[in-house]
Amino acid sequence: MNHIKRFFSLRMLTALMLLGCFGMASAQSDAEKALQQAKSKISSASSITASFSLNMGGGSVSGTLKAKKSKFSIVTSSYGTWYNGSDLYTYNAQNNETTVMKPTSSELAEANPLLYINNADDYKVTTTKASKSGVDTVVLIPKKSGSGIKSVTIELNKSTHLPKSIKITPTSGSAYQLTISSIKLNSSVADSSFDYPKSKYPGSKLIDLR
C-alpha cells in the first residue's frame, strides 16, 4: 500500500511541476507576444509624439518626446536631447553645456527609452507577478553582460499595445522611470524638431566628443 501511495504521490508531484513549467512558459509567451505587438506598432509608425514625467533620484521632471524613424528629440526644463540620425546633442541646463557625439545603440537607448522596445531582441523577455488591470507587464534582461543595465520593466496598454511606463534599473545606481501620460502615432512632426536648436541656448558651451 505504501508503494502505491508513493507512486501516486510522485505522479501528482510530476504533474504539478509540469503544470508550473507550462504556466511559466505560457506567461513568458504572453509577455513576448505583448512586446512584439508594441514593437510592431512603434516601428511601423511614421512618427511618435508623447508627453511624460521622468522620476529619478527622488525628483520628477516633465517633458515631451518626438520621434520619426531613427530620429528623435526629448525636451524638459532641465535638459534636452536631439538625435538627427547621425549626431546626438545633449543639453544640460545645470552647467549650461551641450555635448555632441556619435552615439552607440546603448547610448541611444539611454537617451530615448522607447528604443528598449525596438531593441528587444538583445534581451531575454520575462514577466512579473505584479499585475494591473488593462496592463501587460514585461521585463527585459540583457542577454550579454557589460550593458550597464540590470533590467527594464515595461508596462503596456492591453488595448493599444503602447507603453505606459518604462523603468530602467542599472547594474549600479538608482532606478529611474519614464511615465507616459499621452502618446500619439503618425502625427505631423517637422524634421527640424531633431536638429539641435543652437539659437535657443546662445550661451551654452559646446563640447564636441565626435
Side-chain angles (χ1 to χ4, degrees):
M1 182 66 69
N2 289 334
H3 291 297
I4 295 174
K5 287 182 178 179
R6 284 197 294 270
F7 173 76
F8 280 107
S9 295
L10 287 171
R11 291 290 296 271
M12 182 64 72
L13 179 60
T14 301
L16 289 173
M17 290 176 65
L18 288 172
L19 284 173
C21 291
F22 175 78
M24 291 174 63
S26 178
Q28 183 171 348
S29 176
D30 289 344
E32 291 174 343
K33 181 180 178 181
L35 189 62
Q36 287 302 319
Q37 288 173 323
K39 180 179 179 179
S40 175
K41 205 156 190 179
I42 288 175
S43 62
S44 64
S46 61
S47 67
I48 301 171
T49 56
S51 298
F52 65 87
S53 62
L54 177 65
N55 299 290
M56 181 171 58
S60 178
V61 61
S62 59
T64 57
L65 177 150
K66 295 179 181 179
K68 201 171 186 180
K69 298 305 178 182
S70 65
K71 302 177 182 181
F72 64 84
S73 65
I74 299 176
V75 180
T76 75
S77 59
S78 56
Y79 75 92
T81 60
W82 299 264
Y83 180 61
N84 58 17
S86 175
D87 300 322
L88 178 68
Y89 288 80
T90 303
Y91 171 73
N92 187 334
Q94 187 174 4
N95 54 23
N96 197 27
E97 289 182 348
T98 300
T99 59
V100 56
M101 64 169 63
K102 298 286 186 183
T104 62
S105 58
S106 61
E107 287 169 337
L108 286 175
E110 288 177 14
N112 179 7
L114 284 182
L115 293 179
Y116 285 112
I117 296 175
N118 285 347
N119 299 338
D121 291 342
D122 296 331
Y123 299 83
K124 177 184 176 182
V125 182
T126 63
T127 187
T128 175
K129 293 181 180 179
S131 62
K132 296 180 182 178
S133 177
V135 172
D136 285 314
T137 303
V138 297
V139 180
L140 306 182
I141 307 296
K143 292 179 179 178
K144 297 180 180 179
S145 60
S147 67
I149 299 297
K150 182 178 180 181
S151 66
V152 180
T153 303
I154 304 173
E155 291 185 341
L156 300 167
N157 185 302
K158 277 184 177 290
S159 299
T160 64
H161 310 302
L162 295 175
K164 292 174 64 68
S165 71
I166 302 173
K167 181 181 179 181
I168 297 95
T169 303
T171 51
S172 61
S174 302
Y176 55 98
Q177 179 167 313
L178 188 81
T179 302
I180 299 170
S181 55
S182 68
I183 184 168
K184 296 180 181 179
L185 305 182
N186 306 315
S187 56
S188 178
V189 178
D191 287 337
S192 58
S193 301
F194 314 113
D195 294 327
Y196 171 61
K198 184 177 180 180
S199 60
K200 188 176 179 180
Y201 310 107
S204 177
K205 179 182 179 181
L206 183 65
I207 301 173
D208 196 332
L209 302 178
R210 291 173 294 185

